[in-house]
Amino acid sequence: MLAIIVKRIGNAALVMLVVAFIAFMIFQFLGDPVQLMLNSQATQGDRDALRIRLGLDQPVIMQFFTFVVRALHGDFGVSFRNQREVMSLIAERFPATFELVMVSTVLALLIGIPLGVFAAINPKNLAARMARMVSMIGISVPAFVIGIVLILIFSVQLGWLPAFGRGEVVQFGTWSTGLLTPSGRLALIMPSISLALFQISFVMRLVTAEMLEVLRTDYIKFARARGLPDRSVHFRHALKNCMMPVVTMTGMMIGDLIAFALVTETVFQWPGMGLLFVQAVMFIDIPVMAAYLMIVSVIFITLNTIVDFVYLAVDPRLRQAGSGGGGHVR
Amino acid sequence: MRAAPLPNDRPDTGPVLDIRDLVVEFPTRRGVLTAIRGVSVTVERGEILGIVGESGAGKSLTGAAVIGLLEPPGRIAGGEIRIRGRRIDNLPKRDMMALRGSTIGAIFQDPLTSLNPLLTVGDQLIETIRCHLPLSRAEAAMRAIDLLNEVGIPSAELRLQQYPHQFSGGMRQRVVIALALAGEPDLVVADEPTTALDVSIQAQITALLKRICRDRGTAVMLVTHDMGVIAETADRVAVMYAGRIVEIGPVDDIIRRPQHPYTRGLIGSIPSLVTSHERLVQIDGAMPRLNSMPAGCAFHPRCVLADTRCRSTLPPLLTNGSGLAACWNLAAGNAVEAA
């Protein structure tokens, strides 16, 4: 068990190193930073001084080493565009995105899983069919359309919910949260729903498909033949066996949303990382792009590692390190 | 005319399982397919009844009908199923659920897939026991240990904590049997319980089934395609073909003196250790499809003895020696065998 954990973390570190190398290569290939940073009046002496100050006179391998060491300290340099520490820029924006994504993911799981189970065990029920229809819409309509429709109804027409922004936030050190103020919570409703709608539909369809598969297995048939009540057969025996793909997809979805929630963030003017990234691309702000790449990778790798550990917790067969199954007694 | 004697009025002395004229249908878009066409059979307390036949003969469906777990759209379209004199084929879903496990136990073919891989053997046993008996978790755990001991699993306390993948195939089938017995059923329907196991383990499992049947007085309906397993385990055997019983009787008589041409074919196809064969004897042709049943005896297209009567009229089950057989040419059959 411990061996597996160490191995997984080792794998994660290795992947991070590769990503760091790619992020580092962006600096090498997207033009000369000295050219980008100095104006055309600068002398050759100025250029050389800056080159030495930035460490660009060092061999490439040393530059990479310095980059990794700095990245480990959270130092990604200074944004070309607004001359501020990249890390503090991201730290400012990250909590907003993270909060939005987590709320919509929790919504998706709390609503999607029960709906999926319901649709699988009552395939002919009218409500279940309706839910499946609506989930089709949820999957195919893009989040920004839903966002705009929501704004139209609840902000413009009814005036119940704020159309943009995060509302009031409470600051905990570098972390800001809107969950503790009434206006923050109100502001969170529409963006999280428009993000969650796709996820709810997706989780529901995934759970339904998996449940239908599992309900056909021999162990479910045998559980029924032993006279176990439906509740136990469905939730204790069947649902647990459906959880692996749900865990996998949830992990990927969270990563995906944190990295690319920018459409929803733009619609609701949500001060998250999406906006930061769009600006960085437009101004060829290399340090911000590199840091963004690194941070998104860290998030994905962390989530995948967590997913792997959840697998281990759910499925006892995976806890046997190294043996390809079929081992009898440990 | 009937395979089964009339049931006794007193349930305690009558057969545990009494199936009469069971008909199972599958409504499809192209019409109703009748998979079981009037099966009558009984199983007594402490008796093992073997049901044998090739794939599609309806033997597993008969078992599924008894447990009340026919796969939709399959349905019981006629006849009666009684357990200890009580009719169960028309019970509401909820009442049938209460019977499963406590009155009728079931064992399925593949022990590798019959157990939930994510729950320990103990969890599955304890849940099943508590579903049928009013016991605390600790008491149920004690019972689970007793059950595992009874089915021959050593160090039962330790084994309760383990997951199915930590058991070998034979051990898993023992766990499956323990689970089937957890609710103290009167009848166990065992559908191909040894098919997925290798031969030496098969012998252990059939011995275990026999012992349980003897010690507990449980009635067992053993569904299999394997004549060898039937010969070793069953007291009586019913041979099914195309949804009907074609021959039924004490297992020794049927194996030594099969009456129906189909049974003779089945037994003839078992390789013998004594005499050497160039080729195994086989029954030519295949069982008719459900949507194209021939008129008369369903076996006549494959039968060497078939005559005009076989092609037009269905033979009833006729008393023949110690058993019953459904064939118009029993006398001729005997003559052929004697020759």
Side-chain angles (χ1 to χ4, degrees):
Chain A
M1 187 74 182
L2 191 70
I4 301 177
I5 294 173
V6 171
K7 208 172 120 192
R8 290 284 148 80
I9 292 175
N11 281 350
L14 198 72
V15 173
M16 263 332 290
L17 204 65
V18 173
V19 171
F21 185 70
I22 293 168
F24 172 71
M25 289 313 278
I26 294 177
F27 283 99
Q28 299 295 310
F29 288 112
L30 280 183
D32 183 359
V34 176
Q35 290 286 8
L36 285 167
M37 289 170 86
L38 292 178
N39 60 35
S40 49
Q41 255 95 68
T43 64
Q44 187 61 40
D46 292 337
R47 286 173 206 282
D48 291 344
L50 184 61
R51 201 170 290 279
I52 289 166
R53 190 157 68 85
L54 291 175
L56 295 177
D57 55 332
Q58 304 274 323
V60 173
I61 188 76
M62 277 310 293
Q63 288 183 39
F64 178 56
F65 182 73
T66 317
F67 175 79
V68 170
V69 170
R70 281 196 181 158
L72 285 175
H73 289 93
D75 176 7
F76 289 100
V78 174
S79 162
F80 291 169
R81 195 173 76 92
N82 44 18
Q83 297 296 317
R84 287 184 54 201
E85 285 267 330
V86 172
M87 207 50 206
S88 70
L89 273 177
I90 287 177
E92 240 166 55
R93 304 297 195 95
F94 181 74
T97 298
F98 186 75
E99 205 165 274
L100 175 61
V101 168
M102 287 327 270
V103 168
S104 66
T105 302
V106 169
L107 271 182
L109 295 178
L110 286 183
I111 299 172
I113 292 177
L115 270 184
V117 173
F118 178 72
I121 57 190
N122 307 299
K124 293 195 177 131
N125 183 298
L126 195 69
R129 283 188 203 181
M130 288 283 288
R132 273 215 298 273
M133 284 250 296
V134 173
S135 78
M136 203 63 206
I137 298 170
I139 278 193
S140 33
V141 177
F144 73 88
V145 174
I146 292 161
I148 290 168
V149 170
L150 286 177
I151 290 177
L152 197 65
I153 298 174
F154 293 99
S155 303
V156 180
Q157 299 288 330
L158 297 170
W160 290 352
L161 297 169
F164 63 88
R166 266 188 100 186
E168 243 178 285
V169 293
V170 178
Q171 207 66 39
F172 288 101
T174 56
W175 192 271
S176 65
T177 174
L179 285 174
L180 297 176
T181 62
S183 75
R185 283 193 292 262
L186 275 184
L188 199 54
I189 293 175
M190 287 201 300
S192 58
I193 286 178
S194 73
L195 255 196
L197 210 64
F198 174 84
Q199 300 185 75
I200 293 171
S201 311
F202 191 81
V203 168
M204 176 196 154
R205 297 181 79 84
L206 186 65
V207 169
T208 305
E210 285 296 316
M211 273 293 273
L212 288 174
E213 196 72 28
V214 171
L215 287 176
R216 275 199 295 271
T217 57
D218 286 352
Y219 55 84
I220 294 300
K221 221 168 101 188
F222 188 44
R224 286 194 204 286
R226 298 201 300 273
L228 300 183
D230 280 351
R231 190 167 26 86
S232 169
V233 170
H234 294 150
F235 291 96
R236 195 170 137 89
H237 289 263
L239 185 58
K240 208 175 174 192
N241 278 285
C242 301
M243 279 297 107
M244 299 298 247
V246 175
V247 168
T248 314
M249 289 318 300
T250 307
M252 305 237 306
M253 222 157 50
I254 293 175
D256 209 49
L257 288 179
I258 290 177
F260 308 109
L262 53 133
V263 177
T264 308
E265 290 186 358
T266 311
V267 170
F268 290 98
Q269 287 297 297
W270 192 260
M273 294 208 302
L275 213 55
L276 186 70
F277 181 65
V278 172
Q279 287 163 357
V281 170
M282 291 203 305
F283 289 91
I284 323 178
D285 199 342
I286 297 171
V288 174
M289 286 199 283
Y292 196 79
L293 175 63
M294 293 285 284
I295 283 169
V296 166
S297 309
V298 169
I299 291 166
F300 266 101
I301 289 164
T302 311
L303 285 169
N304 270 316
T305 311
I306 292 172
V307 163
D308 281 349
F309 290 147
V310 174
Y311 281 176
L312 293 179
V314 173
D315 194 334
R317 288 167 295 188
L318 300 176
R319 281 176 227 152
Q320 284 176 311
S323 86
H328 300 148
V329 186
R330 262 187 293 181
Chain B
M1 294 284 278
R2 253 185 224 297
L6 285 172
N8 203 302
D9 288 326
R10 290 159 298 173
D12 278 357
T13 54
V16 174
L17 172 69
D18 185 357
I19 304 178
R20 280 203 273 161
D21 299 323
L22 179 70
V23 177
V24 172
E25 287 179 351
F26 285 82
T28 66
R29 278 182 202 155
R30 294 199 201 150
V32 175
L33 299 177
T34 311
I36 297 180
R37 330 178 146 236
V39 162
S40 298
V41 80
T42 59
V43 191
E44 303 287 334
R45 210 179 115 78
E47 182 187 44
I48 300 183
L49 172 79
I51 295 191
V52 71
E54 62 195 283
S55 303
K59 51 193 196 313
S60 290
L61 276 181
T62 309
V66 171
I67 316 165
L69 286 179
L70 282 172
E71 296 274 340
R75 61 170 189 226
I76 296 175
E80 291 181 1
I81 300 172
R82 283 171 191 275
I83 297 256
R84 295 191 162 277
R86 182 182 173 204
R87 194 163 167 193
I88 62 160
D89 55 282
N90 53 1
L91 285 180
K93 198 171 167 255
R94 182 169 292 273
D95 294 355
M96 193 62 213
M97 201 166 78
L99 282 185
R100 281 201 287 272
S102 62
T103 305
I104 316 166
I107 301 168
F108 291 127
Q109 176 166 355
D110 192 348
L112 304 184
T113 56
S114 287
L115 300 169
N116 191 329
L118 304 187
L119 299 174
T120 63
V121 163
D123 280 341
Q124 299 186 50
L125 268 168
I126 290 167
E127 186 188 11
T128 310
I129 291 167
R130 294 192 66 192
C131 174
H132 298 296
L133 304 166
L135 297 176
S136 72
R137 215 188 134 76
E139 289 166 331
M142 293 304 294
R143 261 191 100 80
I145 291 170
D146 291 344
L147 274 170
L148 289 184
N149 283 327
E150 187 180 344
V151 297
I153 292 179
S155 47
E157 279 107 304
L158 187 77
R159 289 298 215 165
L160 278 190
Q161 318 296 326
Q162 293 186 336
Y163 291 92
H165 72 271
Q166 293 165 301
F167 287 68
S168 67
M171 281 295 161
R172 274 190 240 188
Q173 194 62 306
R174 286 172 195 268
V175 172
V176 168
I177 292 172
L179 277 164
L181 295 175
E184 314 253 302
D186 301 317
L187 170 74
V188 170
V189 177
D191 189 353
E192 305 271 10
T194 58
T195 307
L197 303 170
D198 57 51
V199 180
S200 56
I201 308 295
Q202 271 187 13
Q204 294 173 14
I205 296 296
T206 50
L208 173 64
L209 274 177
K210 270 167 97 163
R211 180 162 59 77
I212 284 162
C213 184
R214 196 184 57 227
D215 293 354
R216 292 181 164 240
T218 313
V220 177
M221 185 169 148
L222 175 68
V223 174
T224 177
H225 67 272
D226 187 339
M227 249 326 190
V229 171
I230 295 277
E232 272 169 42
T233 320
D235 301 307
R236 281 192 307 136
V237 58
V239 181
M240 283 191 77
Y241 186 80
R244 285 198 174 87
I245 290 178
V246 294
E247 184 161 7
I248 183 167
V251 73
D252 292 340
D253 295 350
I254 288 196
I255 284 173
R256 285 209 202 92
R257 289 179 298 280
Q259 301 296 314
H260 195 281
Y262 178 64
T263 318
R264 278 207 296 279
L266 272 188
I267 289 166
S269 62
I270 300 171
S272 162
L273 290 177
V274 186
T275 51
S276 66
H277 299 280
E278 280 291 303
R279 300 184 57 149
L280 287 176
V281 183
Q282 63 171 27
I283 310 174
D284 287 327
M287 206 164 57
R289 298 168 66 93
L290 290 179
N291 54 8
S292 58
M293 274 294 162
C297 174
F299 187 60
H300 84 249
R302 302 169 76 182
C303 183
V304 288
L305 304 172
D307 55 27
T308 48
R309 186 160 56 155
C310 301
R311 294 191 186 92
S312 62
T313 319
L314 181 72
L317 273 169
L318 298 170
T319 309
N320 192 288
S322 56
L324 299 148
C327 180
W328 293 121
N329 294 308
L330 288 178
N334 288 337
V336 166
E337 197 194 36

